[in-house]
Amino acid sequence: MREPNLYVILSHALIGSGFFFLYMHHVRVIFETRTNMRHLSQLERESMLRREDALYYTFYKKLADGPDFWHGYEQLKNVTDIEYPHSVNVLQRFNVLPEIVTAYFFHVVRAGFNPGVQPMQFYFEFVWLMGGITLLVLYLYGTLLSENVFGGIYGVLSYLMFHSFAAKIYERPLARENFAFPFIFLQMFYLCICIGRVLHRQKHSSRIVMVLVMSLFTACALVSWQFSSFIFATQILIVMTTWNFSSMPSSQANAFALDYSLSHLLGNCLAFIVSRGNSQLLFTWQMSGSLGLFLITVVRKVRKQRAANDHQQQQSDYLSLKIILLALLFACSMQAKLMYLLNKSGILDWPDNLEMHYSDLWAHWMLQAKVNFVTNLSACNPLYARIAWSELWQLVKTLIVKPYCMYGVVMLAMFFRKWRKSNVPTSASQEQRERARNYVLEDFLEEHHVSMSDMSNKQTEQQLQKCFAMLESCDHDYERYKREKSQMQEEQQPERDDFIQDIKRLKAQIHRNFDKQRKEREQASELNQKDTLETEQKSADDDAATTTKAEQASEAEPEPETMPSKATSKDTSNGKRRPARRDSYVPTANAQILNFHYLYSFIQMIVFTLIGLTVRKLFFLSFTQGCVIAPTICSKVWYHRQRNIFWSVSLAVILLSMFDPGMMNIREEYFPTRYTSSSDDLEGMLEWIKLNTERDAVFAGPVEIIGTVHLTTKRPIVNHAHLEMRQMAERTEHVYSVYSRQQSSDIYNQCAQLKIQYLIISLDECTNEVRDDCDILSMWDDKQPAFRKYPQFCHELLNKNVPSFLKVYSNENYGIIKMFSQSVQINLKHNKMPEMSM
């Protein structure tokens, strides 16, 4: 990896900026084409936001609608209408950093630049901005790994052609991954830059700058998306494993591992501070892995300093991999137990179980296990469905199969062309024979450093005739003659190497003999000195004479041995100087592919693929990383050897992919044939709630729409879509008991504990029939098999009068049930409630 000059940096910045603005306009137009947002009313715009997206936009509205930013910021510290009646610190409980940053700049823009800017429009522009950053990093990342600009352009075009596999930024603009993944991608890109600088021993900025930059990207991702900690945990595991097999020197590897682990620890600390003490950031797999890596690196450095000999050092390196794996296994296994003990003892209030929630989901998908009700409910979310194999094959066919098949066809054609050319006999003309003989003669004169006057020598003439005979055996083909001669020289190379090795061994033996004789003379001189001191019979002149004779003898004897050694070392150094000079030589493909930063990126893509094949919502991780890796493998193999093959084949692949299926996919995004807008008449129900219920009426309902109810009507709610939170999972299970076969008294008690006044139900789930495993009634039957003989409660509620429950509104999709206490129910028997059925 060479250090780029200023012009290269500016050119990459210009190309990347073009992709940045192009992608922003691309997703903006797609979103407007699909939603027609400009012509919708405020209620229709807000009713488009479902699940947790509606909840996060509620937080943004509190920040944006206030007189200033800090007024809304203080309101988020004490919110009582999203988990009624509990008070929630939104800054600590939820990932609201994107909303905070967006609202802050919204107030800045509205106060000084554009007073008429709309909050939702500004919010969506910020989302498109984050998408543009993702594409910019993708271009730079692809250029870094492929070592040419074409790799980055190919990755960007692949991303645009298969945009349906991306994060679906135009379908769910407010999803947390849209804000966190640009920072995750930036962290991965900067990590590869740092690894490349360490591998090539280039001068770079201070190590403190590296730690601060990586910790900043890590902290922003952690605060924006709860799944970021798991992604960074996989990254730490990959780095810890490949660290032992890398080509880094041990000192550089230890320094890099120390900086890397410190960046993760500092990033967790920054995220903990920004989130105002979110305790779940302290007990994650990422935190345990980074802490384990830090401790292992420190222990490794201490052991290296204390190592007495090379054997101990080799044994330390051999055991390092086992220590890393055992430490990681111990940290991950003890983490859940530690959290459980701290929660039970009251030292730590642990409201969330994010890792356990995703672990249950993977157990449900991989093992087909019925874990619990909330896990089954989350697994039936369309966003978590598995990706279809037909769609996956189309992606693999275009990004992997098609380019490699074309590379294979080109290489087979080149092979057969060379084979045919080498086997077809050709008869050279007289002019070609004379030209080939002249070439051979010139090479002979230059190689043996002789002139035409020396050709009278018989030995020289015999050597030249041998060259002519070889040329004749090659049918006077000069290129073929050169290849065969180079093969003969390579066969003779081992003999020369053996001769050089013999010279080296002789030189080493001479040095050993010289050292042995010198030590013997030193010992003899010491014994002579002791004898003179003990006897004290000789005078000082005699002692000086004896010492002078010993020194003359020691200097005179090794002289004939040292002269050949100097000559040999000189000749050997001269012999080595030519082949050892390979600084400007391009490294081989194997060395490039197995570079640490490329190996990390490839393994990270494999991990993302395993995650994405399990959860459709997370497949964009594998797809984006695949767009970086796909154009680099062939380019690293062929770019430095045969550029014409690389450029021609890659250009053909891009042109073919742009028309089919690239243009078809882009047209499907702009004018979808399978896209259907929501027609569940949610707006009518929201209008009824505004007109016919109290402002402090407490609502509960399906997680898909209950956040939208709170956003548009500002009524308190008791549950929301964050089912990974332990308390919210329990509340949602109580709310969904209305779809079970339990007795009315049991359901009423569960709802009364949550102080629910209005309960929204989905009429599609109240059919008293089980159609598939994703029916809520089927989940309750699996959880409570003893109640299968009873009818479904909500089905009975819609068709009969049930004490303490009264249907006050219904349309084709939803119904609203008002709950009464026993005394209130008796008083209201003869009163007619405002009811809109219809």
Side-chain angles (χ1 to χ4, degrees):
M1 187 180 71
R2 296 170 296 181
E3 197 71 27
N5 55 30
L6 180 61
Y7 295 104
V8 175
I9 295 175
L10 291 178
S11 61
H12 286 316
L14 182 62
I15 298 174
S17 300
F19 287 131
F20 171 81
F21 291 107
L22 175 65
Y23 186 74
M24 284 187 62
H25 178 73
H26 177 63
V27 293
R28 185 191 298 117
V29 173
I30 292 178
F31 182 74
E32 180 63 29
T33 303
R34 288 180 170 231
T35 61
N36 198 18
M37 180 68 70
R38 295 182 180 179
H39 303 283
L40 299 179
S41 63
Q42 182 178 357
L43 178 63
E44 291 173 334
R45 293 178 181 178
E46 294 178 350
S47 63
M48 293 174 57
L49 304 176
R50 305 295 174 91
R51 303 184 73 89
E52 60 265 23
D53 297 348
L55 194 65
Y56 282 104
Y57 189 76
T58 303
F59 303 149
Y60 172 74
K61 280 188 66 176
K62 289 182 181 294
L63 293 167
D65 293 344
D68 56 6
F69 170 78
W70 298 109
H71 177 77
Y73 186 83
E74 293 296 328
Q75 284 185 338
L76 293 183
K77 294 181 180 179
N78 184 19
V79 178
T80 58
D81 53 1
I82 59 173
E83 295 181 10
Y84 184 86
H86 294 168
S87 176
V88 177
N89 186 351
V90 172
L91 303 177
Q92 180 182 5
R93 188 77 177 276
F94 297 92
N95 306 103
V96 291
L97 177 65
E99 283 70 29
I100 292 175
V101 175
T102 308
Y104 177 80
F105 284 104
F106 171 76
H107 282 283
V108 172
V109 172
R110 188 175 64 175
F113 300 95
N114 187 6
V117 62
Q118 298 296 323
M120 180 173 285
Q121 178 186 0
F122 189 84
Y123 195 0
F124 286 150
E125 289 298 324
F126 184 76
V127 176
W128 315 145
L129 175 71
M130 299 304 293
I133 293 176
T134 301
L135 204 71
L136 172 62
V137 178
L138 191 151
Y139 164 74
L140 297 176
Y141 201 169
T143 303
L144 173 69
L145 292 186
S146 61
E147 299 179 2
N148 62 86
V149 67
F150 185 79
I153 297 176
Y154 186 86
V156 168
L157 293 179
S158 301
Y159 189 83
L160 293 175
M161 288 186 297
F162 292 93
H163 197 220
S164 59
F165 290 95
K168 297 295 184 67
I169 189 173
Y170 50 82
E171 290 187 1
R172 294 190 61 215
L174 277 64
R176 297 298 91 187
E177 55 267 25
N178 294 334
F179 301 100
F181 186 69
F183 295 107
I184 297 174
F185 216 27
L186 276 169
Q187 192 263 4
M188 294 168 56
F189 170 65
Y190 189 72
L191 174 63
C192 289
I193 291 179
C194 296
I195 293 173
R197 286 172 173 172
V198 173
L199 285 176
H200 296 82
R201 301 179 183 179
Q202 291 179 347
K203 294 182 179 180
H204 55 88
S205 56
S206 174
R207 291 170 56 185
I208 299 179
V209 176
M210 168 192 167
V211 174
L212 292 178
V213 172
M214 291 191 63
S215 61
L216 179 62
F217 292 152
T218 304
C220 292
L222 290 174
V223 181
S224 301
W225 189 25
Q226 64 269 26
F227 196 74
S228 301
S229 61
F230 183 81
I231 295 177
F232 287 132
T234 61
Q235 182 188 90
I236 293 172
L237 178 61
I238 295 171
V239 173
M240 289 173 68
T241 306
T242 54
W243 170 36
N244 291 270
F245 303 103
S246 66
S247 58
M248 290 186 190
S250 58
S251 59
Q252 293 183 355
N254 289 333
F256 169 76
L258 185 65
D259 295 342
Y260 176 72
S261 58
L262 280 175
S263 67
H264 277 281
L265 294 174
L266 182 58
N268 273 271
C269 294
L270 289 176
F272 182 78
I273 296 172
V274 172
S275 63
R276 303 186 65 85
N278 189 354
S279 57
Q280 67 175 343
L281 294 173
L282 300 179
F283 297 92
T284 59
W285 291 339
Q286 178 209 4
M287 189 68 174
S288 61
S290 57
L291 184 59
L293 179 60
F294 174 78
L295 296 178
I296 290 170
T297 307
V298 173
V299 171
R300 212 174 169 184
K301 293 187 70 173
V302 173
R303 291 180 63 181
K304 181 181 177 182
Q305 293 175 357
R306 294 181 178 180
N309 50 46
D310 295 337
H311 174 71
Q312 293 180 354
Q313 180 62 32
Q314 292 176 0
Q315 186 177 7
S316 174
D317 294 337
Y318 174 74
L319 295 176
S320 59
L321 179 59
K322 294 183 178 180
I323 295 174
I324 287 175
L325 296 179
L326 289 176
L328 183 66
L329 180 62
F330 177 78
C332 293
S333 61
M334 292 301 296
Q335 174 183 305
K337 189 66 177 177
L338 180 61
M339 291 187 296
Y340 176 78
L341 294 176
L342 293 176
N343 193 17
K344 281 293 185 182
S345 62
I347 299 176
L348 177 66
D349 183 16
W350 189 258
D352 304 340
N353 58 344
L354 176 63
E355 284 80 9
M356 293 301 299
H357 179 70
Y358 282 107
S359 300
D360 293 341
L361 283 175
W362 283 321
H364 175 82
W365 287 312
M366 301 300 294
L367 305 177
Q368 298 297 317
K370 304 290 184 181
V371 183
N372 53 57
F373 177 81
V374 174
T375 301
N376 297 336
L377 185 65
S378 301
C380 290
N381 185 353
L383 297 175
Y384 291 97
R386 294 181 180 179
I387 189 170
W389 288 107
S390 58
E391 299 178 5
L392 183 62
W393 167 245
Q394 184 185 16
L395 177 66
V396 173
K397 179 180 66 175
T398 305
L399 293 184
I400 299 177
V401 176
K402 187 183 294 185
Y404 285 96
C405 287
M406 294 197 67
Y407 275 108
V409 169
V410 172
M411 294 311 300
L412 284 175
M414 293 185 62
F415 171 77
F416 283 116
R417 179 184 177 186
K418 291 181 179 179
W419 175 76
R420 182 180 179 183
K421 185 177 180 180
S422 61
N423 292 332
V424 174
T426 57
S427 58
S429 61
Q430 185 65 27
E431 182 180 357
Q432 292 177 349
R433 292 179 181 181
E434 293 296 331
R435 187 185 301 113
R437 289 176 65 90
N438 292 335
Y439 289 159
V440 171
L441 179 61
E442 292 177 2
D443 293 342
F444 180 81
L445 296 176
E446 183 179 356
E447 181 180 357
H448 294 81
H449 303 286
V450 296
S451 61
M452 294 298 295
S453 60
D454 299 331
M455 296 302 295
S456 58
N457 190 351
K458 292 184 178 181
Q459 184 177 2
T460 306
E461 186 178 359
Q462 289 177 358
Q463 293 177 354
L464 180 60
Q465 291 300 326
K466 288 182 180 180
C467 295
F468 285 152
M470 182 182 295
L471 178 64
E472 187 175 357
S473 65
C474 296
D475 297 330
H476 293 86
D477 188 348
Y478 178 68
E479 296 294 335
R480 184 178 169 188
Y481 162 80
K482 288 176 62 177
R483 289 196 298 268
E484 292 190 2
K485 189 172 183 181
S486 61
Q487 290 178 0
M488 291 180 59
Q489 292 177 353
E490 289 178 359
E491 292 175 357
Q492 296 174 358
Q493 187 69 23
E495 298 179 359
R496 180 178 178 276
D497 294 339
D498 294 339
F499 176 75
I500 296 297
Q501 293 296 332
D502 293 338
I503 295 295
K504 290 182 179 179
R505 285 194 293 269
L506 179 62
K507 177 182 176 183
Q509 185 177 1
I510 291 173
H511 281 292
R512 285 196 300 269
N513 294 336
F514 173 73
D515 294 338
K516 184 178 180 180
Q517 292 177 2
R518 187 181 61 185
K519 290 181 181 179
E520 291 177 354
R521 286 175 176 77
E522 289 178 355
Q523 292 177 358
S525 63
E526 290 178 359
L527 291 174
N528 291 334
Q529 290 177 3
K530 290 181 181 179
D531 293 339
T532 54
L533 292 174
E534 290 178 356
T535 57
E536 296 182 358
Q537 294 176 357
K538 295 182 180 181
S539 62
D541 296 336
D542 295 333
D543 294 338
T546 304
T547 306
T548 305
K549 289 179 180 180
E551 290 176 354
Q552 290 176 357
S554 62
E555 291 176 357
E557 289 183 4
E559 284 181 0
E561 297 178 352
T562 55
M563 292 301 292
S565 65
K566 290 181 181 179
T568 306
S569 62
K570 182 177 180 181
D571 296 338
T572 308
S573 62
N574 292 334
K576 282 185 177 179
R577 194 169 295 168
R578 181 173 296 176
R581 185 171 179 81
R582 295 188 180 184
D583 295 339
S584 60
Y585 182 71
V586 178
T588 60
N590 292 332
Q592 289 180 349
I593 291 177
L594 295 180
N595 276 345
F596 189 21
H597 63 289
Y598 188 86
L599 183 63
Y600 156 71
S601 301
F602 186 78
I603 299 177
Q604 187 73 73
M605 184 196 68
I606 296 176
V607 174
F608 284 163
T609 303
L610 296 177
I611 297 174
L613 292 178
T614 308
V615 187
R616 183 185 180 89
K617 177 184 178 182
L618 302 178
F619 187 77
F620 77 94
L621 298 172
S622 173
F623 169 70
T624 309
Q625 189 71 1
C627 290
V628 175
I629 296 294
T632 61
I633 299 178
C634 288
S635 65
K636 282 185 173 293
V637 174
W638 303 116
Y639 177 69
H640 295 294
R641 294 183 178 181
Q642 297 171 340
R643 296 189 180 186
N644 54 343
I645 298 178
F646 170 70
W647 286 104
S648 58
V649 173
S650 300
L651 183 61
V653 170
I654 269 203
L655 293 177
L656 291 175
S657 301
M658 283 182 62
F659 291 100
D660 183 22
M663 297 303 297
M664 296 175 59
N665 291 340
I666 294 176
R667 183 176 58 187
E668 179 67 22
E669 284 187 323
Y670 278 93
F671 308 102
T673 57
R674 298 185 299 270
Y675 178 76
T676 57
S677 58
S678 59
S679 58
D680 52 1
D681 196 19
L682 182 61
E683 295 86 356
M685 186 183 72
L686 297 175
E687 288 286 358
W688 185 90
I689 293 174
K690 285 184 177 181
L691 297 175
N692 297 278
T693 61
E694 304 84 0
R695 290 184 176 273
D696 57 351
V698 182
F699 279 78
V703 294
E704 291 83 7
I705 64 168
I706 192 62
T708 310
V709 172
H710 174 65
L711 170 63
T712 56
T713 65
K714 298 182 180 180
R715 301 301 193 266
I717 58 176
V718 300
N719 67 314
H720 52 74
H722 274 287
L723 300 181
E724 71 276 2
M725 299 180 179
R726 177 170 51 84
Q727 295 180 359
M728 196 48 52
E730 296 174 355
R731 286 177 171 232
T732 301
E733 186 172 346
H734 291 321
V735 171
Y736 275 65
S737 64
V738 70
Y739 301 106
S740 68
R741 303 179 189 269
Q742 301 179 44
Q743 299 297 320
S744 61
S745 58
D746 297 335
I747 297 175
Y748 176 81
N749 292 332
Q750 296 180 48
C751 295
Q753 290 178 1
L754 300 176
K755 300 182 179 181
I756 298 174
Q757 297 178 0
Y758 291 90
L759 183 61
I760 302 175
I761 60 175
S762 176
L763 301 184
D764 294 336
E765 298 292 342
C766 297
T767 60
N768 199 24
E769 297 177 356
V770 176
R771 291 162 293 188
D772 52 39
D773 292 339
C774 283
D775 280 345
I776 300 179
L777 182 59
S778 175
M779 301 177 194
W780 278 113
D781 288 344
D782 293 335
K783 181 179 177 62
Q784 300 174 340
F787 289 89
R788 291 186 178 182
K789 58 184 178 181
Y790 299 111
Q792 188 180 20
F793 174 73
C794 65
H795 179 73
E796 295 292 315
L797 183 61
L798 295 175
N799 298 288
K800 299 179 181 179
N801 293 326
V802 180
S804 303
F805 296 90
L806 179 64
K807 183 180 69 173
V808 295
Y809 174 85
S810 67
N811 59 20
E812 293 182 357
N813 297 281
Y814 302 106
I816 300 179
I817 308 299
K818 184 172 177 61
M819 301 182 58
F820 303 97
S821 64
Q822 191 68 23
S823 59
V824 174
Q825 176 195 353
I826 295 174
N827 295 330
L828 291 177
K829 275 185 177 179
H830 303 287
N831 295 335
K832 187 175 181 180
M833 290 296 299
E835 182 177 353
M836 292 182 60
S837 25
M838 316 16 343

